[in-house]
Amino acid sequence: MNRNVYIDNMPREKALQLFMDGLQSNDWFAKTTEWVAVRESLHRTTAEPIIAKRSSPHYVASAMDGAAVKSTLTFGASESNPVDIMASDYLEVDTGDYVPKEYDAVIMVEEINFFPDHMQIIKAAVPWQHIRSIGEDMVEGDMIVPSLRLIGPYELAAFITAGVETVPVIKKPTVAIIPTGTELVESAQIQMSPGDIVESNSYMLMSLAQEWGAAAFRHEIVIDDREQIKQAVREVKAQADVIVICSGSSAGREDYTASIVRELGELLVHGVAVRPGKPAILGIIDHKPVIGIPGYPISAGLIFNLFAKPIIYRKMGISIPEAIIIEGSISKKLPSPMGVDEYVNVNIARIGAKLIAYPLNRGAGLSSMLVKSDGVVHVERGQEGLQTGACCNIVLNRSSREIENSMITLGSHDLSIDFLIDMLYRKQGIRLVSTNVGSMGGIMALRRKETHFAGLHLLDEKGDYNISYLHKYLPNEKYLLVNLVKRHQGLVVAPGNPLGIRGISDLAQKGLRYMNRQKGAGTRILLDYLLKKEGVAGAQINGYNREEYTHLAVAAAVKNDACDTGMAIFASAKAMNLDFIPVAVERYDLCILTELVSQKQLDALLATINSSEFKESVSNSGGYELDLSGQIIYSHNL
Amino acid sequence: MNRNVYIDNMPREKALQLFMDGLQSNDWFAKTTEWVAVRESLHRTTAEPIIAKRSSPHYVASAMDGAAVKSTLTFGASESNPVDIMASDYLEVDTGDYVPKEYDAVIMVEEINFFPDHMQIIKAAVPWQHIRSIGEDMVEGDMIVPSLRLIGPYELAAFITAGVETVPVIKKPTVAIIPTGTELVESAQIQMSPGDIVESNSYMLMSLAQEWGAAAFRHEIVIDDREQIKQAVREVKAQADVIVICSGSSAGREDYTASIVRELGELLVHGVAVRPGKPAILGIIDHKPVIGIPGYPISAGLIFNLFAKPIIYRKMGISIPEAIIIEGSISKKLPSPMGVDEYVNVNIARIGAKLIAYPLNRGAGLSSMLVKSDGVVHVERGQEGLQTGACCNIVLNRSSREIENSMITLGSHDLSIDFLIDMLYRKQGIRLVSTNVGSMGGIMALRRKETHFAGLHLLDEKGDYNISYLHKYLPNEKYLLVNLVKRHQGLVVAPGNPLGIRGISDLAQKGLRYMNRQKGAGTRILLDYLLKKEGVAGAQINGYNREEYTHLAVAAAVKNDACDTGMAIFASAKAMNLDFIPVAVERYDLCILTELVSQKQLDALLATINSSEFKESVSNSGGYELDLSGQIIYSHNL
């Protein structure tokens, strides 16, 4: 095996400095200018000062609707001594009309009495009144804007007015992206085998580059073959200002990027002390920057942001737009090794006076976390992570208004929560952030006052739901327990139920592969309750310790033959065309901490649950009963 | 004449409400969805929740580079009891590789010793360790994002990963813009007659619409003919969601928009109590909004922002992005009539602890003011304007970082200041805002501590420059007087000097048309000094009271035969290919209030003035002497 064992662990700033210095000494940052038609110049950056080519107005113009006169003819006019001016001695003008040389004032239409052959005025005109001089707006030779200015709608219009028809702008740097990896396929529409991965990183990186103002193009996927990757680099080199090689998600034996950069140019950095994204590669080939990007999407995005963004902005001669940074406190301990800069995606919500940052799953392979992320907490090198409740700066991905309009629910997940998320935003302008921590996790989050509400379906030994748990864990809180849905829980099995599973008692069958839910999940508690009833021990079940975190994930495991069955709600089986053996109907309630939500939020939430659109959507999913939906089950201390 | 005399004066909110209600009752805000290829969906808005079409990973995958094993084979392994696993019992895998059903754990490569026919491990594998389950990232059926979400780089990539190939997005509303006006021409490249105006408003409005996320197209210019304008409305109607009719800059007899809207549909509003922009028109034709936009560029931009922006965003189902609002104090009294909402463009700079807003010229015809504007102060209806120093909210057009990096100079203008503006920004990242208020205006601004520095060329009776004025008006301040340039002042005349003007003494010639500078301008003070020397009285000069505000404007007036001569610097005559009769060389200094500028700003300013690039640029303009340039002429209280 030809593994790249010698990966460095260079501090981020040093790596960037080396890269910048290398590019500087290759004169890569030299400004490149191109001329574009002014009408195509929106959002480009001026490369030189833009100078007015003609004055505006380019003639002496009337500033009013009225009549142009020679002011001497009006002298002495007053209410008691109206002055008549013959038609041959004045010129009717509208605003913007040319005022010929023989006139030196304009009288407003409101101050004129017109007669067939003359007009009468009762006030003398001051010389040059209501006359716009040449170049009042812009004068030929005026600098309209200096260099390195963004051309917005107003600049563009001013250029046109000033007779500027083409403008020198900074040429967009072109980023070429080469996706590599034998496991990659171009699209999920084709038949995919196990191990195939749809190539999407290149589109993420192209989109980022475009947002920054660069142009981007993509080479087709190159398999893990050193010669072919080298060939691809050679192909894109001529048209590209920046070459990006995306590794396959394999960081292992098929990673040829570093050795190719070393062969064709200069390898500056291989391995940066950041997480995620350590195996990043920085180099220079033919005076152009080359970046080797790790395969996991979160690593890819981070490395591109850390190393491509600053060089692209500097090449364009403009500053990176200001990040919006807010201060929050971290909801749970965030351990991080001393030696690396770590970037952690978080959700954010305001809970009372505090903005709380909820760290998302740190798996670098989870592209969904980039979508969920509201912001990023940077745990700096030299820090040993953050303690629960610690203050942290968060670089926002969303507007702070959107953050302030957010509610959060930590607890059990149900598909109906997705309808709630969609409808609350669409109808009420409230963004609902939902994090699945299971029902017991939800109870604990309520107890710590870290969530506005929580979805719970916790069965107690008497066969009742939720209330006894709340009594135990939230003895003093004020809360409202509202039913969201009742739902069918059951065993999800392959179509046709090939193993002939009839119910809970069959789970201990030898060879049957079960998929459980995580500890604290209401579904696991339900399973344990039912197993106890049937006299089956967890240890008898193959896969009792194999855990998934959602209903859909359990169903997906069944569908893909990673297990034979697992307990989940009906809707998840239906979503994947699987069979379903019902075992229970359970109550899924929302426990709302009334002190943490405003009346407006509470009203919006209840109105949404009680709306016919919500009920229809849930009902169409199947496996739900809605007779209690929206009803207040219980209230405490209110 | 057929003037629209009956223009209403409707409050802004009421006008918008009428417009919104009218569109609502015409069901215009109904969401329109279109499907686009996911790879073309960047920056579009989801019209429906986007659901994962396949799980990612869609197979059980290795989370590490290493070997997949059946965990039972590893049990009991320890340092003292290494376990050998035969090649047939394990499978080498890289991160992301498929882990077939027969294996239930992955051992990291770092923990393996490989031999030709077996591998050796010293630690047992926990079942399911280092294995990514199906759907770990996203599960088929998961909602990736709800509706009405902006699709950014990360969303786009996640959609591709989840097998989503087309996405439902909000269709972009299409704005059709019809420029009208017989005085309008398409481009300044053609020969323009007096009275011709280059049509640029339509491009400003199209660019604004595009920034908001709409599509826009433009009808060609329509002359002021009621039938032709009506025909244009009919032509664009089918493809447009919003119809915008731009009036010519004439607000007078040629304005047919209101009557056409009344004829073809419903006229809701004609005349809004805002300034600038009063004659705005709002109506509905064939269930579509029609907006009549006044001709002056600042009015056009304001009315489009006030009435097109909110309906376009609402049609798209998204909120208008948050404005950045800062608090500042206004540098001078801002009178405003009680009955209107007035929007005033301002420059902004930090002077010590205060952010000061400097109102720009309020002429609605000055497109250059939109370019210069750093923000807008809204003087609300019911307010009688703002007193000098009053606190005001400013909606920023620029980032607050850019505002904080600004220096301001109020005083006399010189062309070399433009080089300073360009170079300070390009080389030092400092934005220099320059407002021409003449030398005496600059002295007063220094006295009130409203400017970081001022350009001065004030001649005293002894023939010296600036210092005696500073002694008189700034007796206690700390300042530095630095020479920027010495420059040639003279009489600008038409090429060939057709009137044979020889110097100052000729200005009183009968019939000669002079153009003066405003009171307080150093050039006017120089003229008065020279006239006194020659024994000529200002009253003897035809045009002594006709004022322009810049050298270039005086030169432009000569070039366009609006006058025969005026006093200005050589560079302005050169810029317009005019002849120049030198009358004096004067010192143009910068007076810098050292308490208001940081050492960094001072260093940057002096370094720029002393740079060879600055001196070369100035020297190439002609008419300058640079022997004192950058030298400290005088310092006071330092």
Side-chain angles (χ1 to χ4, degrees):
Chain A
M1 283 209 257
N2 169 30
R3 291 181 190 272
N4 276 302
V5 192
Y6 302 106
I7 290 189
D8 204 351
N9 202 31
M10 193 182 284
R12 180 182 55 90
E13 314 85 270
K14 192 181 161 195
L16 183 58
Q17 193 62 52
L18 267 181
F19 199 31
M20 287 280 196
D21 290 349
L23 291 171
Q24 180 74 53
S25 67
N26 277 276
D27 205 26
W28 184 76
F29 292 113
K31 241 189 308 173
T32 332
T33 299
E34 64 180 349
W35 289 77
V36 297
V38 66
R39 290 169 184 79
E40 309 292 324
S41 69
L42 187 65
H43 297 164
R44 301 298 296 269
T45 302
T46 57
E48 296 170 18
I50 308 297
I51 308 297
K53 286 226 183 315
R54 59 158 62 234
S55 299
S56 165
H58 64 286
Y59 55 90
V60 175
S62 176
M64 292 286 172
D65 293 349
V69 294
K70 195 158 181 62
S71 57
T72 47
L73 293 182
T74 72
F75 289 171
S78 69
E79 296 226 18
S80 58
N81 179 32
V83 165
D84 289 344
I85 297 177
M86 300 313 291
S88 55
D89 287 334
Y90 69 85
L91 179 70
E92 273 187 64
V93 286
D94 278 335
T95 306
D97 281 354
Y98 173 52
V99 177
K101 249 204 283 198
E102 49 268 41
Y103 308 107
D104 69 352
V106 167
I107 302 173
M108 285 195 290
V109 67
E110 292 84 345
E111 298 177 345
I112 300 174
N113 271 317
F114 286 98
F115 295 94
D117 61 343
H118 71 283
M119 69 176 193
Q120 194 176 65
I121 54 167
I122 55 172
K123 203 173 136 192
V126 178
W128 309 109
Q129 77 175 24
H130 305 318
I131 284 190
R132 298 181 65 192
S133 54
I134 290 164
E136 185 190 70
D137 185 2
M138 288 175 285
V139 182
E140 179 186 339
D142 261 350
M143 181 175 74
I144 312 173
V145 295
S147 38
L148 302 183
R149 287 283 158 186
L150 192 71
I151 302 174
Y154 305 126
E155 285 78 10
L156 194 150
F159 295 165
I160 294 175
T161 298
V164 175
E165 286 291 320
T166 57
V167 282
V169 296
I170 301 289
K171 196 167 175 302
K172 292 182 178 205
T174 299
V175 180
I177 301 187
I178 305 171
T180 74
T182 307
E183 75 283 11
L184 299 179
V185 298
E186 292 283 1
S187 155
Q189 282 183 314
I190 59 159
Q191 186 59 44
M192 281 172 73
S193 308
D196 285 351
I197 295 173
V198 191
E199 200 290 299
S200 61
N201 281 356
S202 66
Y203 295 99
M204 174 173 81
L205 304 185
M206 282 201 291
S207 303
L208 285 169
Q210 285 159 10
E211 284 194 342
W212 302 333
F217 71 94
R218 176 183 183 272
H219 192 281
E220 62 183 9
I221 293 167
V222 182
I223 62 163
D224 289 309
D225 176 282
R226 197 173 182 287
E227 278 313 303
Q228 291 194 36
I229 299 172
K230 211 164 88 180
Q231 182 53 32
V233 171
R234 288 207 184 99
E235 276 171 37
V236 303
K237 223 171 46 184
Q239 312 142 56
D241 297 299
V242 183
I243 300 164
V244 175
I245 305 170
C246 296
S247 301
S249 63
S250 153
R253 58 188 156 180
E254 293 135 349
D255 189 342
Y256 298 117
T257 308
S259 91
I260 290 171
V261 175
R262 203 182 283 114
E263 182 190 334
L264 299 182
E266 189 185 359
L267 180 68
L268 297 171
V269 176
H270 187 192
V272 186
V274 299
R275 196 159 92 170
K278 188 184 169 191
I281 289 163
L282 305 174
I284 296 177
I285 295 177
D286 276 4
H287 313 291
K288 290 175 180 180
V290 184
I291 306 178
I293 297 273
Y296 273 140
I298 301 195
S299 313
L302 180 65
I303 293 301
F304 201 61
N305 269 287
L306 290 179
F307 298 106
K309 190 174 183 179
I311 65 163
I312 286 173
Y313 273 95
R314 184 161 158 201
K315 171 88 180 149
M316 298 188 298
I318 54 180
S319 312
I320 295 180
E322 277 170 280
I324 305 171
I325 297 172
I326 59 166
E327 207 173 75
S329 65
I330 201 94
S331 73
K332 64 177 181 200
K333 196 178 164 171
L334 209 60
S336 179
M338 278 282 281
V340 304
D341 280 289
E342 179 157 17
Y343 298 83
V344 182
N345 286 291
V346 296
N347 277 138
I348 310 165
R350 175 171 295 286
I351 302 279
K354 271 195 206 167
L355 280 168
I356 300 194
Y358 305 84
L360 291 163
N361 187 322
R362 286 194 261 177
L366 306 183
S367 62
S368 54
M369 293 303 140
L370 288 172
V371 172
K372 288 193 167 71
S373 172
D374 296 335
V376 174
V377 172
H378 175 191
V379 185
E380 282 179 50
R381 218 172 53 253
Q383 260 188 311
E384 266 191 320
L386 295 168
Q387 295 301 319
T388 305
C391 198
C392 56
N393 285 325
I394 311 160
V395 177
L396 292 189
N397 299 338
R398 309 188 192 281
S399 73
S400 54
R401 182 175 60 185
E402 211 173 346
I403 300 291
E404 292 292 343
N405 279 342
S406 299
M407 291 179 81
I408 192 154
T409 172
L410 297 174
S412 168
H413 188 69
D414 184 78
L415 294 184
S416 59
I417 296 278
D418 286 350
F419 296 120
L420 214 52
I421 290 171
D422 186 52
M423 286 181 60
L424 267 176
Y425 190 71
R426 191 153 42 80
K427 304 273 184 186
Q428 311 273 358
I430 293 175
R431 192 180 70 112
L432 177 60
V433 176
S434 167
T435 298
N436 175 27
V437 296
S439 290
M440 278 310 297
I443 289 268
M444 293 306 153
L446 291 168
R447 192 180 154 99
R448 290 191 301 266
K449 299 197 177 176
E450 275 175 16
T451 186
H452 293 110
F453 63 92
L456 308 175
H457 57 118
L458 285 165
L459 184 59
D460 65 21
E461 289 172 1
K462 295 183 187 148
D464 276 350
Y465 279 90
N466 299 329
I467 295 172
S468 61
Y469 288 84
L470 291 170
H471 280 171
K472 181 171 173 193
Y473 291 102
L474 279 75
N476 303 314
E477 307 307 329
K478 299 183 178 184
Y479 57 83
L480 208 58
L481 191 69
V482 176
N483 179 254
L484 186 66
V485 292
K486 288 196 307 192
R487 58 187 198 177
H488 293 253
Q489 285 270 19
L491 295 172
V492 177
V493 294
N497 191 7
L499 298 185
I501 299 166
R502 288 153 306 172
I504 296 296
S505 56
D506 290 343
L507 298 183
Q509 278 175 12
K510 196 172 156 57
L512 186 145
R513 297 166 304 153
Y514 187 74
M515 179 68 81
N516 207 350
R517 291 288 308 282
Q518 84 278 16
K519 291 189 190 74
T523 302
R524 181 159 175 154
I525 291 169
L526 174 63
L527 174 77
D528 291 344
Y529 176 88
L530 296 172
L531 288 176
K532 198 173 166 188
K533 244 174 141 179
E534 301 279 343
V536 179
Q540 294 174 255
I541 299 174
N542 172 22
Y544 183 84
N545 291 319
R546 202 174 165 193
E547 298 177 351
E548 280 294 356
Y549 283 76
T550 66
H551 300 277
L552 276 172
V554 168
V558 173
K559 183 175 181 185
N560 291 282
D561 198 21
C563 67
D564 298 314
T565 189
M567 191 182 288
I569 56 173
F570 173 79
S572 63
K574 187 187 171 204
M576 297 200 184
N577 294 312
L578 296 168
D579 278 7
F580 183 78
I581 302 147
V583 297
V585 176
E586 66 176 9
R587 218 176 67 219
Y588 181 97
D589 300 329
L590 303 183
C591 175
I592 305 161
L593 290 177
T594 49
E595 283 183 312
L596 299 186
V597 300
S598 67
Q599 190 62 44
K600 189 173 160 282
Q601 290 174 321
L602 185 62
D603 291 348
L605 184 61
L606 295 178
T608 305
I609 299 173
N610 283 301
S611 69
S612 52
E613 183 182 347
F614 175 73
K615 292 186 176 169
E616 271 168 36
S617 304
V618 173
S619 165
N620 290 340
S621 305
Y624 288 102
E625 291 174 20
L626 297 169
D627 52 303
L628 288 180
S629 181
Q631 287 188 28
I632 292 171
I633 302 292
Y634 180 67
S635 72
H636 190 251
N637 277 351
L638 294 181
Chain B
M1 285 209 256
N2 168 30
R3 292 182 188 270
N4 277 301
V5 191
Y6 301 107
I7 289 189
D8 203 351
N9 203 28
M10 192 181 287
R12 179 181 56 89
E13 314 85 270
K14 192 182 163 195
L16 183 59
Q17 192 61 52
L18 266 180
F19 198 32
M20 287 279 195
D21 290 349
L23 291 171
Q24 180 74 51
S25 68
N26 277 276
D27 205 24
W28 184 75
F29 292 113
K31 240 190 308 174
T32 332
T33 299
E34 65 180 349
W35 289 77
V36 297
V38 66
R39 290 171 184 78
E40 309 292 324
S41 69
L42 186 66
H43 297 161
R44 301 299 296 267
T45 302
T46 58
E48 296 170 20
I50 308 298
I51 308 297
K53 287 226 183 312
R54 61 157 62 235
S55 299
S56 165
H58 66 285
Y59 55 90
V60 176
S62 177
M64 291 286 172
D65 294 349
V69 294
K70 194 155 182 63
S71 57
T72 47
L73 294 181
T74 72
F75 289 172
S78 70
E79 296 226 15
S80 56
N81 180 32
V83 164
D84 289 345
I85 297 176
M86 300 311 293
S88 54
D89 287 333
Y90 68 85
L91 178 71
E92 273 189 63
V93 288
D94 278 335
T95 306
D97 280 354
Y98 173 51
V99 177
K101 249 205 280 196
E102 49 269 38
Y103 308 107
D104 69 352
V106 166
I107 302 173
M108 287 195 290
V109 66
E110 293 84 346
E111 298 177 346
I112 300 174
N113 270 318
F114 287 98
F115 294 95
D117 61 343
H118 72 283
M119 68 176 194
Q120 193 177 65
I121 54 165
I122 54 169
K123 203 173 136 192
V126 179
W128 308 109
Q129 78 175 23
H130 304 320
I131 284 190
R132 297 181 65 191
S133 53
I134 289 164
E136 185 192 71
D137 185 2
M138 288 176 286
V139 182
E140 179 187 340
D142 262 350
M143 181 174 77
I144 312 172
V145 295
S147 37
L148 302 183
R149 287 281 156 188
L150 192 71
I151 302 174
Y154 305 127
E155 285 77 10
L156 194 150
F159 295 165
I160 294 174
T161 299
V164 175
E165 285 290 321
T166 57
V167 282
V169 296
I170 301 288
K171 196 169 174 301
K172 293 182 177 205
T174 299
V175 180
I177 301 186
I178 305 171
T180 74
T182 307
E183 74 281 12
L184 298 179
V185 298
E186 292 284 1
S187 155
Q189 282 185 314
I190 60 161
Q191 185 59 45
M192 283 172 73
S193 306
D196 286 352
I197 294 173
V198 191
E199 201 289 300
S200 61
N201 281 354
S202 66
Y203 295 99
M204 174 173 79
L205 304 185
M206 283 201 290
S207 302
L208 285 169
Q210 285 158 10
E211 284 194 343
W212 302 334
F217 71 94
R218 175 182 184 274
H219 190 282
E220 63 183 6
I221 293 167
V222 183
I223 60 162
D224 289 308
D225 175 281
R226 199 175 181 286
E227 279 314 302
Q228 290 194 38
I229 298 172
K230 212 164 88 180
Q231 182 52 33
V233 171
R234 288 207 183 98
E235 276 171 36
V236 302
K237 223 171 47 184
Q239 313 141 57
D241 297 300
V242 182
I243 300 164
V244 175
I245 305 170
C246 294
S247 301
S249 63
S250 155
R253 59 189 155 180
E254 294 134 350
D255 188 343
Y256 298 117
T257 308
S259 90
I260 290 171
V261 175
R262 203 182 283 113
E263 181 190 333
L264 299 182
E266 188 185 359
L267 181 69
L268 298 171
V269 175
H270 187 191
V272 185
V274 298
R275 195 158 93 171
K278 188 182 169 193
I281 289 163
L282 304 174
I284 295 178
I285 294 177
D286 277 3
H287 313 291
K288 290 175 180 179
V290 184
I291 306 178
I293 297 273
Y296 273 140
I298 300 194
S299 312
L302 180 65
I303 292 301
F304 201 61
N305 269 289
L306 289 179
F307 297 106
K309 191 174 183 180
I311 67 163
I312 286 173
Y313 272 95
R314 184 160 157 200
K315 171 88 180 149
M316 297 188 297
I318 53 178
S319 312
I320 295 180
E322 278 170 279
I324 305 171
I325 298 173
I326 59 165
E327 206 172 75
S329 66
I330 200 93
S331 73
K332 65 177 180 198
K333 196 176 164 173
L334 209 60
S336 178
M338 278 282 282
V340 303
D341 280 289
E342 179 156 17
Y343 297 83
V344 182
N345 286 291
V346 297
N347 276 138
I348 310 165
R350 176 171 293 287
I351 301 279
K354 272 196 208 168
L355 279 168
I356 300 193
Y358 305 84
L360 290 164
N361 186 321
R362 287 195 261 179
L366 307 184
S367 62
S368 53
M369 292 303 141
L370 288 171
V371 172
K372 288 192 167 71
S373 174
D374 296 335
V376 174
V377 173
H378 174 191
V379 185
E380 283 179 51
R381 217 170 57 251
Q383 259 188 312
E384 267 192 320
L386 295 168
Q387 295 302 319
T388 305
C391 197
C392 56
N393 285 325
I394 311 160
V395 178
L396 291 190
N397 299 339
R398 309 189 193 280
S399 74
S400 54
R401 182 176 58 185
E402 212 174 344
I403 299 292
E404 292 293 342
N405 279 343
S406 299
M407 291 180 82
I408 191 155
T409 171
L410 297 174
S412 168
H413 189 69
D414 183 78
L415 294 185
S416 60
I417 295 279
D418 286 350
F419 295 121
L420 214 51
I421 290 172
D422 185 52
M423 286 182 61
L424 267 176
Y425 189 70
R426 191 154 42 81
K427 304 275 185 187
Q428 311 274 359
I430 294 174
R431 192 181 70 110
L432 177 60
V433 176
S434 166
T435 297
N436 174 27
V437 296
S439 289
M440 276 311 295
I443 289 266
M444 293 307 154
L446 290 167
R447 191 179 155 101
R448 290 191 302 265
K449 298 196 179 177
E450 275 175 16
T451 186
H452 293 111
F453 63 91
L456 308 175
H457 56 116
L458 285 164
L459 184 61
D460 65 22
E461 289 173 359
K462 294 184 188 145
D464 276 349
Y465 279 90
N466 300 327
I467 294 172
S468 61
Y469 289 83
L470 291 170
H471 279 170
K472 180 169 175 197
Y473 291 101
L474 278 76
N476 304 314
E477 307 307 329
K478 298 181 179 186
Y479 57 81
L480 209 56
L481 191 70
V482 177
N483 179 254
L484 187 66
V485 291
K486 288 195 305 191
R487 57 188 198 176
H488 292 254
Q489 287 269 18
L491 296 171
V492 177
V493 294
N497 190 9
L499 299 186
I501 299 166
R502 287 154 305 172
I504 296 295
S505 56
D506 289 344
L507 296 182
Q509 277 175 13
K510 198 172 155 56
L512 185 145
R513 298 165 303 152
Y514 187 73
M515 178 69 79
N516 207 350
R517 289 288 307 282
Q518 84 279 15
K519 291 190 189 72
T523 302
R524 181 160 176 155
I525 291 170
L526 174 62
L527 174 76
D528 290 344
Y529 177 90
L530 296 172
L531 286 177
K532 198 172 167 189
K533 245 173 139 180
E534 301 278 343
V536 180
Q540 293 173 256
I541 299 175
N542 172 22
Y544 183 82
N545 290 320
R546 202 173 165 194
E547 297 178 352
E548 279 295 356
Y549 284 76
T550 66
H551 300 278
L552 276 172
V554 168
V558 173
K559 182 176 181 183
N560 292 281
D561 196 23
C563 67
D564 298 313
T565 189
M567 192 183 289
I569 56 173
F570 174 80
S572 63
K574 186 186 170 205
M576 298 199 182
N577 294 313
L578 297 168
D579 278 7
F580 182 79
I581 301 147
V583 297
V585 176
E586 66 176 8
R587 217 176 69 219
Y588 181 95
D589 299 330
L590 303 183
C591 175
I592 305 162
L593 290 177
T594 49
E595 282 183 312
L596 300 185
V597 300
S598 66
Q599 190 62 43
K600 190 175 158 283
Q601 289 174 322
L602 185 60
D603 290 347
L605 184 61
L606 295 179
T608 305
I609 298 173
N610 282 302
S611 69
S612 54
E613 185 183 345
F614 175 75
K615 291 187 177 170
E616 270 167 37
S617 304
V618 173
S619 160
N620 289 340
S621 305
Y624 288 103
E625 290 173 21
L626 297 169
D627 51 303
L628 288 180
S629 182
Q631 288 189 30
I632 293 172
I633 302 292
Y634 181 66
S635 71
H636 191 250
N637 278 349
L638 295 182

